Amino acid sequence: MSATATAPSGDNYLNHEKGLWSWLTTLDHKRIGILYMISVMVFFLLGGIFAMLMRTELIAPGRTIMGPETYNRVMTYHGTIMVFMVIIPGIPAFLGNFIMPLQIGAKDVAFPKLNLISWYCLMVGALVAFTSLFYNGVDTGWTFYTPYSIRTHTGVTFMVLGAFIMGFSSILTGLNFIVTIHKLRAPGMTFWRMPLFCWGLYSTAIIQVLATPVLAITLLLIACERILGVGIFDPTLGGDPVLFEHFFWFYSHPAVYIMILPAMGVISEVITAFSHKTIFGYKAIAFSSIGIAAVSFFVWGHHLFVAGQSEVAGIIFSFITMLVGVPTAIKVFNWTATLYKGSIEFKPPMLFALGFLFLFTIGGVTGIMLATIALDVHLHDTYFVVAHFHYVMVGGTLMAIMAGFYYWFPKIFGRMYNIFWARITFVLIFVGFNVTFFPQFILGAMGMPRRYYDYLPAFTSLNRISSIGAYTIGLGFLIALIVILQGIFGGEKASANPWGAKTLEWSTVSPPPHDNFVTEPIVTAGPYEYR
Amino acid sequence: MIWQLSSLFSSIAHANGTFMPPDGDTIAPLYDHLYLVMVLMSAIASLIVIGGMVYFSIKYRRQTGRKSAYITHNTTLEFLWSFIPFCLFMVAFGWGWYVYYQMRTMPEDAFEVNVLAQQWSWNFMYKSGKKTTADMYVPVNTPVRLIMTSKDVIHSMYIPAFRQKQDVVPGRYTQTWFQAPHVGNFHIFCAEYCGMGHSAMLGIVHVLSKADFDKWLETNPYKGLTPVQVGQHLFQQKCSVCHNPTTERKVGPGLQHVFGSMVQLQGQPPHLADENYIRTHILHPSTYSVQGFPKGVMPSFQGQLSEEELTGLIEYVKSLK
Ligand SMILES: [Cu+2]
Ligand SMILES: [Cu+2]
C-alpha cells in the first residue's frame, strides 16, 4: 500500500507547468480542484457580504440601512450564491475533484476535459447569473416561486439561465465521478475498501445526474414563460403555480443531499483520522449514503404541506420523510461510536468535525419536527425553517468544508497552516453560529415569517442577538481566510502524512506529483486500518 | 447587557411565556402539546448524541502509551439504534397525522369568510355583503371557514395564534378553518414571499362576542363619517403600504400636493391630477406611468371599492394639501 518515495526532482502538480494559461487550460484534476477552490472562496465571500447586509438591516425593525426593494435583492443573491455557487460545488467539485482520484489510487478522473468544461460551466453560469445585477437585480428569493418570478420586473431571466448553465457543471461532475469510481480504482481497491468520502461522492453523483436535469428544465420553462409568454405556471395563462413548486422541489430536496452527503463523507474521514481508530460500522455508513440518496427523491412534497397539495399527499410525504431520518440517525450514531475507545486529537479539522456532529444533530432533530406534518403547518415559512436549514447547510456542510479543507490542506499545498489561529476560527464560527441561528428557532415558533424585511417590535431582541452572532461568524471566516492564505504562501513544509492517516492519498508525497503516485499503488487492506 | 435581557423577556412575555404565540383557537392546545413533546424528545436525543460525543472526546483524548481499540461494528447495537429511532419517528408521524387531520377537517356548518389576497393586502368578504381590508371580524365559539384565493401571486394566510397556515394561490381556492373560544385580537401575517410589501402584508383577526359581532355585521362602518374621513380610513388600510400622505416617497409617490398639480409622466405629456385622473389611477393603474417610478407595480383596485369608497379616497387625496 505504501508508495511513498520522493518524486524525481521535486516535481509536483503546482510546479509541473507554469503561467496563468497553464492553469486555465489544465486537465489535471488537482489543478481543476484548485480552480474550484478559488472560485468557491470568492463566491463565499460575496454571499457572506450579502448575509452581513441582511443581518444588519434586521438588527432593528423598520428601515435600518436599506429599503425593502434592496433587501429582497440582497436576500435573493445571498441564497442563490450560497446554494448554487458555494454549497453545491463546495465539497464535490473542490475537495472531491482533488482528493477522490488520490483516494482510489487513480491518475486522474475518467474524463479530464469534461472536468475542465464543468468548471467553465460554473464560471459562465455565474457570469450570466450576475448579469442580472445590471437588469434591476433579482428579488424572487432563491426558490423563484411562480407566478411572482414571471411577473417581477427584474433580471430573473438571467439568473435562471445562469443557474441552468451552472446545473451542467453539477451534472457533468457527477457523471465524471461515477465513471471514475467504477473504472479507475487502483488494483486491489475494491468497492468495500473505498474510503467513505468516495461513497459519499458516489451517492451524491447519482443525485446530481438524475435530479439536476429536472431543475434545468424547470428553470428553462420560467425563462420561456417570461420571454415567450407560454402559460405553464401562470394561472392567468392557464398554468398552475403549484406545479412549479413540485418541479422545483423535486430537484431541490435531493439537492439538500447533494450538499450534505459529501459533507458526511468528509466527517467520516476526519473522525477516523483524529481518533486514530477504524470507523464504526463502515458498511452501515456506506449503505446509508446510498439509502439516503434513493429515498431523497420521494420526499419533495414536505415543502408543500401548506401549499395547496392534497392532504393525502401531505401525509404520505410526511411518512417518507420520517424514513430518511433513519439512515441519517445511523450515521450520527456511528460517528459517535467511532470516538469510543479512540485516541482523540483535537486538531482543527477534528474540532470542525465535532462541531459538525453537534450542529447537524440539532439540524436533524428539528428536521424531524418539521416532517411531523401538523407541526409544519405552524412552523412552515417561519424563521424556524430558516434556523433548521442553516443548522444543516452551514452547521453541516460548511463545517464539513472547513474540516475537510484544514484536513487535506497539507496534502494539497505541501504546507501547514497555523494550528493555533485555525482553532480560534473554529471557536468564533461555532459560537457565532449558535448565537445567530438558535434564537431563530424561537423567533419562528413565536410566529415570525421568513423573508421579512420588517418585523413586529416583539421580535427585536432575538433578531439583535442573531445579528451579533452573524458578525462573529463573519469575523471567524475572515480570520480563516488569513490563516489559509498565510498557510499557502508562508506555511511550514508539511510531511506526506502529518496526521498519521491511513487512506491512500496520504501515501503519496505532498503536494502530489503530476501523475499523483510515483509508482502505481496496490491496495491490500481497507481504508481505516488503525491497529 | 441588562437592557437587552429585560427586553428579551418582555418579547417572550408577548408570546405567552412559553416561547409560543397565545392560544387563540381550539387547535392551539393540541398543537402545543405535540410541539412540547417533540421539543423534549429532540432535546433528549441531542443530549444523548452530543453528551456522548463530549464524554468520549474527553475520556479518550490522546494520551501517551494508550492505543485506540479496533472495533469494526456491533450488529445488535446497530440494529437497536436504527430500530428505536424508527419507532420514535413513527410515533411522531402518527401523532402529527392525528393533529393534522383535525386541522384540515373543515366543519360543515361553519361561518364562511371569503378572502382575497393581493399585493399587499388582505381583503375579507362576508355573506352580508360587508367587506373589510386588513381587519377580519369573526364571532367567538363559532367554526369559521376561510375560502381564499389570490389576485396576483402566491400569498399565505398565517395566524400564529391559531397555529394555522395555508397558501393562497391565484387561479384556485384553498381553505383553512378555526374556532376561537375566547374574544381577542390576533395577528395575521403573509407567510409566502410576495415581493416588496411582503412583510407589511399584515392584518388582525378580531374575535368578537356573538352580540358584538351581529352588531358589527349590521352597522354601516361609514355612518356619520364625512367622505374625507371615509377616504382616510381606507387609505390607511389599503394605500399606506405604498404611499405616504406626505410628500415623502415610499414605493409609490407621496400624495401630498399631488391633487391639482401637473404630473410628469413617462412617454406621455404631463397630466393634470384631477378627480378623473385619481380615479383612473386607482382602478386602472397601468394607464399612466409616473416619472421616476417603475411601471406595473401598483395593483388595480377594480371591483374592490364601492362608489362611496372611491369618492372618499378621491376626497381624501384632495384634502392632502
Ligand atoms: Cu426537503
Ligand atoms: Cu407575502
Side-chain angles (χ1 to χ4, degrees):
Chain A
M1 174 153 178
S2 169
T4 316
T6 21
S9 68
D11 170 75
N12 66 45
Y13 79 98
L14 290 167
N15 62 21
H16 187 74
E17 274 180 291
K18 290 225 154 49
L20 183 66
W21 186 246
S22 76
W23 278 89
L24 292 176
T25 56
T26 183
L27 299 179
D28 181 346
H29 70 101
K30 301 182 287 303
R31 283 187 162 212
I32 295 173
I34 298 292
L35 291 178
Y36 274 113
M37 176 195 89
I38 296 167
S39 21
V40 167
M41 277 167 68
V42 171
F43 294 144
F44 181 65
L45 193 70
L46 281 174
I49 290 171
F50 283 119
M52 293 302 136
L53 289 173
M54 282 166 80
R55 280 315 323 169
T56 306
E57 173 53 42
L58 292 174
I59 209 162
R63 187 193 170 99
T64 312
I65 54 164
M66 60 181 98
E69 298 98 326
T70 315
Y71 177 82
N72 291 340
R73 284 164 177 77
V74 168
M75 161 202 84
T76 304
Y77 283 100
H78 167 71
T80 43
I81 292 173
M82 288 304 199
V83 170
F84 295 114
M85 306 178 200
V86 177
I87 301 187
I88 288 182
I91 299 186
F94 158 38
L95 291 173
N97 240 317
F98 197 103
I99 299 299
M100 185 270 286
L102 288 165
Q103 279 198 326
I104 61 170
K107 276 191 177 153
D108 206 312
V109 292
F111 308 113
K113 281 182 189 149
L114 201 63
N115 203 11
L116 184 64
I117 291 172
S118 308
W119 181 73
Y120 278 104
C121 281
L122 183 69
M123 291 298 104
V124 173
L127 212 65
V128 174
F130 285 128
T131 309
S132 63
L133 281 169
F134 303 103
Y135 291 84
N136 203 11
V138 180
D139 67 343
T140 58
W142 80 279
T143 47
F144 309 116
Y145 270 20
T146 54
Y148 187 77
S149 59
I150 292 163
R151 296 182 179 201
T152 175
H153 297 269
T154 54
V156 175
T157 312
F158 289 97
M159 181 58 91
V160 294
L161 286 178
F164 173 80
I165 299 168
M166 287 188 275
F168 281 94
S169 167
S170 192
I171 297 171
L172 298 178
T173 303
L175 195 71
N176 219 335
F177 282 12
I178 292 177
V179 178
T180 306
I181 287 173
H182 272 283
K183 290 290 171 195
L184 297 185
R185 280 168 289 127
M189 175 60 80
T190 62
F191 253 75
W192 296 119
R193 282 182 186 159
M194 260 190 345
L196 287 163
F197 182 52
C198 297
W199 274 102
L201 288 174
Y202 184 74
S203 345
T204 307
I206 294 173
I207 307 178
Q208 286 176 306
V209 171
L210 293 180
T212 317
V214 178
L215 177 76
I217 298 290
T218 312
L219 296 180
L220 211 56
L221 287 177
I222 289 195
C224 284
E225 195 148 343
R226 281 183 69 91
I227 299 168
L228 307 171
V230 190
I232 297 153
F233 304 125
D234 190 342
T236 52
L237 300 169
D240 181 357
V242 179
L243 181 67
F244 173 82
E245 297 181 37
H246 281 284
F247 281 173
F248 181 80
W249 288 109
F250 185 84
Y251 164 76
S252 292
H253 185 83
V256 171
Y257 294 101
I258 294 181
M259 306 175 202
I260 201 69
L261 281 170
M264 293 168 158
V266 171
I267 297 308
S268 302
E269 301 298 316
V270 173
I271 286 192
T272 49
F274 293 94
S275 306
H276 300 279
K277 180 165 173 284
T278 193
I279 191 91
F280 187 94
Y282 173 94
K283 283 200 177 175
I285 295 183
F287 274 128
S288 62
S289 293
I290 302 288
I292 290 173
V295 183
S296 74
F297 281 99
F298 305 100
V299 298
W300 78 89
H302 62 214
H303 297 266
L304 285 84
F305 286 159
V306 299
Q309 106 188 326
S310 82
E311 280 86 2
V312 178
I315 288 161
I316 294 170
F317 280 119
S318 168
F319 176 77
I320 305 174
T321 305
M322 292 289 178
L323 294 185
V324 188
V326 177
T328 313
I330 292 176
K331 281 177 187 276
V332 169
F333 289 126
N334 276 315
W335 290 321
T336 313
T338 302
L339 300 172
Y340 174 72
K341 291 200 172 171
S343 174
I344 299 164
E345 270 187 298
F346 299 101
K347 290 278 162 58
M350 186 60 164
L351 289 177
F352 277 98
L354 296 175
F356 170 99
L357 212 51
F358 185 107
L359 302 176
F360 185 73
T361 303
I362 296 176
V365 292
T366 50
I368 293 295
M369 290 180 67
L370 290 170
T372 307
I373 186 162
L375 292 190
D376 186 70
V377 174
H378 171 59
L379 297 175
H380 184 79
D381 271 335
T382 67
Y383 262 83
F384 192 97
V385 174
V386 176
H388 157 71
F389 71 72
H390 279 89
Y391 264 82
V392 177
M393 301 286 77
V394 183
T397 309
L398 214 57
M399 296 299 269
I401 293 183
M402 293 304 289
F405 199 6
Y406 280 142
Y407 177 54
W408 283 302
F409 189 96
K411 178 54 61 188
I412 296 173
F413 299 106
R415 291 172 185 273
M416 188 57 92
Y417 48 85
N418 183 308
I419 300 272
F420 172 79
W421 280 101
R423 283 193 174 121
I424 297 285
T425 63
F426 168 74
V427 173
L428 287 173
I429 294 170
F430 179 78
V431 173
F433 179 85
N434 284 295
V435 173
T436 309
F437 292 106
F438 203 85
Q440 295 187 1
F441 282 123
I442 303 169
L443 277 174
M446 286 164 72
M448 178 170 166
R450 65 190 285 205
R451 295 174 169 176
Y452 261 34
Y453 157 78
D454 191 5
Y455 49 81
L456 299 185
F459 301 139
T460 309
S461 317
L462 289 169
N463 268 297
R464 187 162 299 160
I465 295 172
S466 185
S467 294
I468 292 167
Y471 300 141
T472 317
I473 305 179
L475 180 67
F477 276 110
L478 274 184
I479 297 177
L481 182 68
I482 297 169
V483 170
I484 287 164
L485 290 177
Q486 194 276 334
I488 293 175
F489 296 107
E492 280 174 38
K493 286 252 176 305
S495 64
N497 189 1
W499 314 122
K502 300 283 184 187
T503 40
L504 205 51
E505 76 272 26
W506 299 105
S507 67
T508 187
V509 285
S510 302
H514 178 69
D515 286 330
N516 289 354
F517 297 92
V518 179
T519 49
E520 192 186 30
I522 293 165
V523 183
T524 52
Y528 310 114
E529 293 298 308
Y530 296 89
R531 287 188 197 253
Chain B
M1 224 41 216
I2 298 293
W3 60 269
Q4 218 169 39
L5 276 180
S6 64
S7 61
L8 170 66
F9 284 120
S10 68
S11 69
I12 293 166
H14 149 91
N16 220 17
T18 55
F19 296 97
M20 292 296 277
D23 282 4
D25 73 345
T26 48
I27 297 289
L30 290 177
Y31 182 97
D32 290 3
H33 191 191
L34 173 58
Y35 179 80
L36 192 70
V37 170
M38 289 296 288
V39 169
L40 280 177
M41 297 295 290
S42 301
I44 293 168
S46 305
L47 275 179
I48 291 174
V49 173
I50 294 167
M53 174 188 102
V54 172
Y55 176 75
F56 290 158
S57 298
I58 294 168
K59 180 142 191 233
Y60 301 111
R61 67 189 179 278
R62 179 154 237 194
Q63 284 167 327
T64 38
R66 198 171 72 187
K67 274 201 73 188
S68 63
Y70 188 82
I71 310 166
T72 57
H73 66 286
N74 178 328
T75 312
T76 327
L77 209 56
E78 287 179 79
F79 171 76
L80 281 179
W81 71 42
S82 318
F83 186 68
I84 295 174
F86 173 77
C87 296
L88 292 173
F89 294 164
M90 284 304 106
V91 172
F93 164 69
W95 194 341
W97 182 359
Y98 168 74
V99 175
Y100 179 71
Y101 179 80
Q102 301 178 57
M103 289 171 130
R104 295 301 304 169
T105 308
M106 305 292 149
E108 295 276 308
D109 51 347
F111 177 83
E112 288 178 359
V113 180
N114 284 283
V115 180
L116 179 70
Q118 71 176 93
Q119 287 169 319
W120 292 281
S121 62
W122 296 105
N123 304 292
F124 304 99
M125 283 155 283
Y126 305 82
K127 283 280 151 65
S128 71
K130 216 161 166 173
K131 292 179 187 174
T132 56
T133 298
D135 294 276
M136 171 163 58
Y137 295 86
V138 296
V140 76
N141 264 326
T142 313
V144 177
R145 188 153 72 121
L146 305 183
I147 300 156
M148 309 182 286
T149 191
S150 165
K151 242 180 86 174
D152 35 50
V153 301
I154 302 178
H155 302 275
S156 190
M157 164 64 70
Y158 178 32
I159 309 172
F162 297 164
R163 314 289 186 272
Q164 282 282 28
K165 181 182 292 120
Q166 175 60 51
D167 284 7
V168 181
V169 184
R172 65 160 88 172
Y173 291 99
T174 55
Q175 312 186 11
T176 186
W177 81 281
F178 56 83
Q179 176 170 351
H182 310 291
V183 296
N185 302 325
F186 306 103
H187 287 292
I188 299 172
F189 296 105
C190 176
E192 183 60 69
Y193 175 73
C194 56
M196 219 282 318
H198 173 51
S199 60
M201 194 169 156
L202 308 175
I204 293 175
V205 195
H206 302 265
V207 180
L208 304 179
S209 71
K210 290 239 166 67
D212 284 350
F213 182 75
D214 288 341
K215 209 161 82 195
W216 174 82
L217 210 54
E218 274 154 32
T219 46
N220 176 353
Y222 305 132
K223 203 171 159 192
L225 296 183
T226 65
V228 174
Q229 287 169 320
V230 170
Q232 184 176 19
H233 176 78
L234 285 166
F235 183 86
Q236 275 159 7
Q237 286 187 334
K238 292 188 189 263
C239 317
S240 60
V241 175
C242 304
H243 296 281
N244 281 316
T246 59
T247 50
E248 199 193 330
R249 79 180 268 164
K250 218 170 175 180
V251 182
L255 295 184
Q256 197 178 14
H257 305 318
V258 165
F259 195 87
S261 70
M262 292 299 280
V263 181
Q264 300 298 317
L265 301 175
Q266 241 164 286
Q268 290 160 295
H271 198 292
L272 175 69
D274 56 6
E275 284 87 349
N276 276 321
Y277 173 83
I278 305 287
R279 186 188 170 93
T280 314
H281 232 302
I282 295 172
L283 300 180
H284 309 286
S286 54
T287 317
Y288 306 111
S289 131
V290 179
Q291 197 117 65
F293 293 91
K295 244 185 138 120
V297 174
M298 175 155 169
S300 155
F301 289 85
Q302 174 88 296
Q304 291 176 51
L305 298 164
S306 65
E307 274 308 313
E308 185 194 6
E309 292 173 322
L310 255 177
T311 312
L313 276 173
I314 293 167
E315 287 306 312
Y316 176 66
V317 172
K318 240 187 204 176
S319 76
L320 296 173
K321 292 219 174 86

